[in-house]
Amino acid sequence: MADVQGSIVFAINGEKHTLSGANWQPGMTLNEYIRRYTPYKGTKLSCGEGGCGACAVTLSRTVDDKEELITVNSCLRPLASVDGWSVTTTEGLCQPNGDLHPVQQRIADFHGSQCGFCTPGMVMTTYAALRQHPEIKKACMEKQFDGNLCRCTGYRPILDAAKSFAVDVDIEEIAGRPCFPKPGPYDPELDPRVPKFLQTADSSSEVRFSANGVTWVRPVNLAGALKALSESESARAVAGNTSVGIYKEQEAAQLRVDIHRVPELRAISSNAEYISVGGACSLTELLNELHKHDNASPQCAHLPAIIERVVGIANVHVRNSGTVAGNLIMAKSLGFLSDLSTTLLGADATVVWVSAAGQREESMERFLAEPAVNRGELIQAIRIPFVVAGAQYHTYKSALRRVNAHAFINAGMYVRFEADNDTVADARLAFGGVMPDDVPGTHAVRATDAEQVLIGSKISDGATFSKTLKVIQKQLNPTSAKADYRRGLVRSFFYRFFLKLRGENAPPEVRSGADMLPRGLSSGSQTFQYDEAKHAPVSKPIPKLSSRAQAAGSSQYTDDIPLKEGTQFAALVTSTVAHGKLVSVDASRALALDGVLAVVTHEDIKGKNNVSPVPWPLEALVTDKVGAQGLPIAVVVAASTRLAEQAAKLVDVKYDLTNAEPLVITARQAAEAGEKLYVPGAVNTIGDAEKADKALGAAKNKHSLEVEIGSQPHFYMEPLVAYAVPEEDNDMVVYAGCQWPDSVHTAITNVLGVAANRVRFIHRRCGGGFGGKHVHAAWVAALAALACQRTRRPVRLTLNRNVDMALVGGREEVFCKYTMSHDDDGKLGPLRMDMFMASGCSTDFSFFSNMALVHSTIQAYQFDKDSFVESHLSITNTADRTVMRGPGEIAGCYLIETVMEQIAHATGQDPHVVREKNLYPPTPAGQEAVTLINGKRLDHYSLPLMWQQAKDKTNFEARLAECKAFNAKSRWRKHGISIVPVRYEVSIWPKSATINIYGDGSIICHHGCTEIGQGAHVKVSQVVAYELGRVFGDGAVPLDVGLIRHADLDSHVLPNQSFTGGSTGSEGAAEASRLACKILVERLKPVLKGIQSEKEKKGDENFLTVTWPELCAAAKGQSIDLSAHDHWSGAGERSCSYQNYGAAVTEVMVDVLTGETEVLKATILYDCGKSLNPAIDIGQAEGAFVQGLGHVFREEVLIDETGKLISDGTWEMKPPSYRCIPERLEIDMLKDSPFDKGVLSSKASGEPPLVLAVSAAMAARMAIASARADADHPEFFSMPLPITVDTIQQLCLTQDEHLVL
């Protein structure tokens, strides 16, 4: 609350905070305040755009003696707007004694936390749902997660945890799963409440305070708001402030008027003519009001369509803050493609303006037509008229993702019939997205000419649709991005609307086109084998050791580390051209800002300007040649991150573009450019090209195809961050999350020009990696260290999401040209496959991806000896590409499976039949394993067994027949089903470990695997507990895993540690730890015998019984060395390379009219050997598969003609949300796996299942092929990845003449 001096009061986790003009900073968000000025670091900053939910907190306050609670994105919420609110973070849910809140406990118990960076947001979303809906049902609970992203888990365990609180949940079904404990009751009395000092505070006074030339005013009534707005031409009304998540470069107003509490702007009412909702009401409040009305009443027949579109705006957190007026003003003034404005335009809503002169009302059409807003005016309300009997209103939208995604085209279409219920009496056809996006003056429009054609026409007249469509197409001609798709959507939506009007009068085979694809509640199952009698507690499905702390918000990531006194903050100055020469860097304007300490360039580097861990160089800071946009040119060091980023924009960088050659962006362009872009020494080959060409020349059946596979962003939840701290004698400590400790340490010392022992690198954990933190984490750490060396101050460098995505290029693109042959039965013959992989502006680790690409094309198929496969690695003018989960593997699998599909098409067989004919059969007992054409052996070949089990479990043949039958009767909704195998070779890289035992029996473990969410610590703990427990003899009760804790990975303790990747880091660390434990066991055995002998001498009948603490205390007392170190190199008694096998059956449903796809069911069978922890491995498999679905369907990398990355945040890049996972996801771990190598017979789980997402692509191919056949195009077709909605719709080849009524 506020007083006349201009302060505001709020609470964070029950603690009182007071803010005045003296300590307020313009632009400061709630997230920034929490993270910098409070001890609560659980609330994360991930996207900074309101698109991921990692920053979600709850706001609560008392209104009319009732507590009101909402979730908000703290990264968007202005700090000054929380006056009177009680803010709760995940830490605030914990009990005073440290016990977890039931929501936190449930998510931890259900294995819903992997890297943990998204977990606090998931906790707060679940908690808020329970508070807002005490009798919540499963379906409602699941929908609450439309604003939360998780890159690790695949969502299923998080959703299961949340739905376990629902009133309609089957507790016994959940309790019956071996991974989950039976949920206990939820007691809301434990929930935090609004503190009394806020309940009784007075909010009747206006708040006004200023800082740095900016004034914040929070009026308490309309007169005060209008008066404040009149004070300055630059005055800006502020309410939810969610627009900054999209339009980050909005001009900062010098006077900001917070109107979100002005009662006259929040009034909600209705009469016989319309519903009126105040402009300052949130979108959630608009929804609540619409739901209150009787939607069964004829006058409310349009409300369900409006509700459907409003529910689809952004996400629950944004809808809780974003206002009706704010959304409409963006549409009016900024060209924002607003679902709300199009929907209200079609519903004939009006806008009520208010100013000092009074009120005025105007139509939505007039409102949108003029982008300027009159000074001193505010939107007081919108009015949604009721409809009359006989009216129909339907709304539509297509986007890259079904939730939390902006539209390509949206529409609202209304008709009112005459008494005959056939003749159109009135019509409104509103479309958004037909004008260029985000251009002031563009907006949703009505197809008025078409409306006039429709009025007076009969729906039953077959000519009505076609003649109206022609007029629409003439009047509305989208020209912006994906224009062909948008034009197709305009046609599809009008056709869909017409089908709805025709109802049962439409032909049965086209009726499915009247509605969007349905979506059911998600569910899943997990099966695995656990033998408690062997190797316990290894293979027990226990939760991650850090899951409780992650849920509670107490897990510390690099950006959470308490700052040293004098810490400065850094931001990057990055290149804005994709090809040119750096001429000069003028930092004078940046250095003139108060608080800017330094601008560091390549001239400040004392060592080597190279951060690459591989033979090909990678500059820390650009010196001369610029090869892509987004490359670091300078580092700005300042008193705050906000100031550093502001100053970075003022650094003037000049380039010489006179000799710049045309940009090469895509892998196809790189292939066309040829040898001049090839990376020397980075070509991988299998076979002989001359022999392949000769054999193909003689082949009877041969076919050629070109295939393009796009990039995929890593989009780990925690952006790259490093914190460098100077130490005595010019030493330095650097903290960072990474996947390759030695790469980071070496990059730092190289750039600084110091000996390795002068830099101590520490890694605790990081919020996901997926390959993106192999090399790029070293890059950022080296830059932070350089800034620290230059300034002699502690420096933290945290990349914002946009800079991070522009720097880290993601998965490599691939272009492939192949010619293959086959016999009449479908057996693969000689094949030539020429591939070109684009590595971006640097080679990085892409040479490994290129090698994997070539070898993964073989899979487990019987290649002809005269086949030839080759891939060249090329440099392009894009960000530095690098390895990403399943590097090269998913592309290779996709290509060979496309070959199998083409053979099936040519021979008239089902694709799974062709696959079976070409897969190697089971290896007969006693025979040597088969050797593939690439020299790899199919050891422990369990694939044929899982293939058959997958077919049997899923009833594949019958479901395939059902899909075909469905497709034959349905024109606009198509099903596809596919079964795909995977063979995936991995190597376990060397790791070290040190095990320390204390006298009380507790254990601390140092190992060389970086914890990135994959559960390395818990797996190592299980192995350590097993191996140390063997001191008491085989079969003894194992040690309690709770005795074991894990230290930070420290280069002063474990130097020279290799990378964590390929899904095998946990295995390497576990084996190194096991070897160290064996040393300790040998040291402890004599001590144990001595204790037993002494007890026997004393007549103790239980002399053989010795407890672990007793043994450790005795060993300490005898000065036994209880610290042991060992290093596992991959040689000797354990295999360092092995094959992984699996199979997946996936069924999809495709909307031919829009290209949208639903994954109905996916069943994965996977050989994980003897899993070290099946709960962890199942979570890895699920997360990998869903990430693979992202690559297949959604995660398109958009780069414009200048080389600028467009999809650099959550606005354009859409990783899978909860809504994108299979409706039903089943994971079965192979029982009685024949694998007997590796670490305690375990196998990798984090990457091979990602490749199995290819099954979804092939299922989609079946659905698309059916649509193409209906369009008289049965020929085989090339299908790129990703197959986004626009690609699918365009591939279906729908034309106007196909739209039958």
Side-chain angles (χ1 to χ4, degrees), residues 1118-1170:
Q1118 296 175 31
S1119 295
I1120 302 297
D1121 184 2
L1122 293 179
S1123 178
H1125 173 86
D1126 211 325
H1127 177 77
W1128 184 67
S1129 64
E1133 62 181 291
R1134 292 288 181 268
S1135 169
C1136 65
S1137 296
Y1138 57 83
Q1139 302 289 346
N1140 293 273
Y1141 307 107
V1145 174
T1146 302
E1147 183 176 355
V1148 306
M1149 177 168 50
V1150 169
D1151 184 336
V1152 176
L1153 293 173
T1154 65
E1156 292 175 326
T1157 303
E1158 287 289 349
V1159 182
L1160 301 177
K1161 185 177 182 181
T1163 301
I1164 298 172
L1165 275 78
Y1166 185 66
D1167 182 357
C1168 207
K1170 183 180 172 153

Side-chain angles (χ1 to χ4, degrees), residues 580-872:
K581 181 179 180 181
L582 179 63
V583 174
S584 64
V585 178
D586 182 359
S588 57
R589 287 198 302 155
L591 291 169
L593 292 180
D594 186 29
V596 175
L597 183 62
V599 176
V600 182
T601 69
H602 69 89
E603 296 177 350
D604 295 297
I605 296 175
K606 296 180 179 180
K608 301 174 184 176
N609 190 4
N610 181 24
V611 295
S612 173
V614 296
W616 298 274
L618 178 61
E619 287 188 327
L621 293 170
V622 174
T623 57
D624 180 30
K625 181 182 177 182
V626 178
Q629 291 205 35
L631 296 176
I633 289 176
V635 183
V636 177
V637 184
S640 71
T641 299
R642 183 181 297 277
L643 178 59
E645 290 179 346
Q646 177 187 351
K649 296 174 184 177
L650 298 179
V651 176
D652 185 17
V653 180
K654 289 195 167 40
Y655 310 91
D656 180 1
L657 306 180
T658 54
N659 296 318
E661 297 182 7
L663 298 183
V664 177
I665 302 297
T666 67
R668 179 186 283 272
Q669 291 172 339
E672 293 168 350
E675 294 184 8
K676 66 179 182 179
L677 295 181
Y678 291 168
V679 176
V683 58
N684 294 94
T685 303
I686 297 173
D688 185 284
E690 186 175 342
K691 290 182 179 179
D693 289 343
K694 183 177 179 180
L696 284 167
K700 175 185 175 183
N701 307 310
K702 58 185 176 184
H703 311 274
S704 298
L705 199 70
E706 294 182 353
V707 183
E708 294 181 79
I709 301 174
S711 179
Q712 179 186 19
H714 292 85
F715 200 86
Y716 31 70
M717 292 298 292
E718 176 200 30
L720 289 168
V721 55
Y723 184 35
V725 180
E727 295 282 296
E728 64 181 38
D729 197 22
N730 292 322
D731 285 359
M732 189 181 296
V733 178
V734 181
Y735 304 86
C738 74
Q739 292 181 252
W740 194 347
D742 188 54
S743 168
V744 177
H745 188 246
T746 302
I748 295 169
T749 56
N750 279 347
V751 169
L752 298 187
V754 299
N757 64 356
R758 305 305 295 269
V759 174
R760 182 183 181 191
F761 171 65
I762 297 176
H763 163 100
R764 175 166 294 182
R765 64 171 56 84
C766 60
F770 315 114
K773 294 179 180 177
H774 276 303
V775 174
H776 293 78
W779 201 344
V780 170
L783 292 177
L786 177 64
C788 175
Q789 184 187 56
R790 165 75 168 74
T791 62
R792 296 305 302 160
R793 304 277 189 89
V795 174
R796 188 173 73 191
L797 171 58
T798 304
L799 302 192
N800 67 47
R801 178 60 63 183
N802 305 133
V803 173
D804 184 288
M805 294 188 71
L807 180 69
V808 186
R811 192 186 299 280
E812 301 90 351
E813 296 176 4
V814 174
F815 172 64
C816 173
K817 298 185 293 184
Y818 72 71
T819 299
M820 62 81 176
S821 63
H822 58 86
D823 65 17
D824 293 338
D825 192 42
K827 289 292 292 290
L828 178 64
L831 169 147
R832 174 164 184 162
M833 188 174 283
D834 293 281
M835 298 177 290
F836 305 87
M837 176 175 278
S839 71
C841 62
S842 176
T843 304
D844 197 286
F845 227 47
S846 296
F847 73 93
F848 177 86
S849 301
N850 198 56
M851 176 188 67
L853 169 65
V854 169
H855 288 280
S856 63
T857 58
I858 309 301
Q859 288 300 308
Y861 289 120
Q862 303 176 57
F863 268 54
D864 187 274
K865 62 181 178 59
D866 290 329
S867 294
F868 174 74
V869 181
E870 182 175 78
S871 183
H872 286 278

Side-chain angles (χ1 to χ4, degrees), residues 1156-1209:
E1156 292 175 326
T1157 303
E1158 287 289 349
V1159 182
L1160 301 177
K1161 185 177 182 181
T1163 301
I1164 298 172
L1165 275 78
Y1166 185 66
D1167 182 357
C1168 207
K1170 183 180 172 153
S1171 169
L1172 295 178
N1173 184 319
I1176 298 296
D1177 287 331
I1178 285 170
Q1180 286 287 291
E1182 290 177 329
F1185 185 76
V1186 170
Q1187 194 170 77
L1189 291 180
H1191 184 36
V1192 168
F1193 290 118
R1194 308 193 192 284
E1195 297 180 48
E1196 183 179 19
V1197 175
L1198 301 173
I1199 300 174
D1200 71 12
E1201 65 278 2
T1202 72
K1204 178 179 173 57
L1205 179 68
I1206 303 301
S1207 51
D1208 63 350

Side-chain angles (χ1 to χ4, degrees), residues 51-54 118 122 145-151 155 401 404 715 717 1210 1213 1215-1218:
C52 74
C118 76
M122 298 294 183
F145 291 88
D146 61 355
N148 293 74
L149 294 179
C150 175
R151 198 61 161 158
Y155 297 97
R401 196 173 60 196
N404 203 13
F715 200 86
M717 292 298 292
T1210 57
M1213 207 291 285
S1217 72
Y1218 88 91

